[in-house]
Amino acid sequence: MANLTSLQKDELIQQYVELCVDSMDHKDMYQFVYNTLVEDFDKLSDSELEDEIRYSFDEETLDELVDNVTNPTVEVD
């Protein structure tokens, strides 16, 4: 590949991203966003994750989510 200037590289990236996005259907986009968020949130410390949930939603949502993962559910057969 030719030696690109910073601006040329930015433009190349923008054009490639356009192609990538245009080639995705809604399911692909959903999966991409889902995977990206999981990867991003996995990198956070516990307190950073709590803050993220609290600021994006609220304290009640944080409490509910923590309760969901800490209390076993009872399955009825």
Side-chain angles (χ1 to χ4, degrees):
M1 187 162 61
N3 291 331
L4 302 177
T5 66
S6 180
L7 290 174
Q8 290 169 327
K9 183 177 178 183
D10 289 346
E11 181 64 26
L12 175 65
I13 290 169
Q14 289 175 13
Q15 289 182 24
Y16 182 59
V17 167
E18 289 281 332
L19 286 173
C20 289
V21 170
D22 288 345
S23 71
M24 293 179 174
D25 63 16
H26 292 300
K27 288 175 93 177
D28 293 332
M29 285 187 204
Y30 175 87
Q31 192 63 51
F32 179 79
V33 170
Y34 182 92
N35 291 340
T36 301
L37 290 172
V38 167
E39 289 174 15
D40 289 349
F41 296 151
D42 191 48
K43 295 175 186 173
L44 300 178
S45 68
D46 291 352
S47 64
E48 289 170 329
L49 180 57
E50 289 175 1
D51 288 344
E52 173 69 31
I53 296 167
R54 188 179 293 115
Y55 298 141
S56 295
F57 292 92
D58 55 29
E59 187 73 33
E60 184 178 312
T61 301
L62 172 61
D63 292 342
E64 182 179 328
L65 293 173
V66 170
D67 187 55
N68 288 347
V69 298
T70 58
N71 291 317
T73 58
V74 177
E75 292 186 27
V76 179
D77 290 349

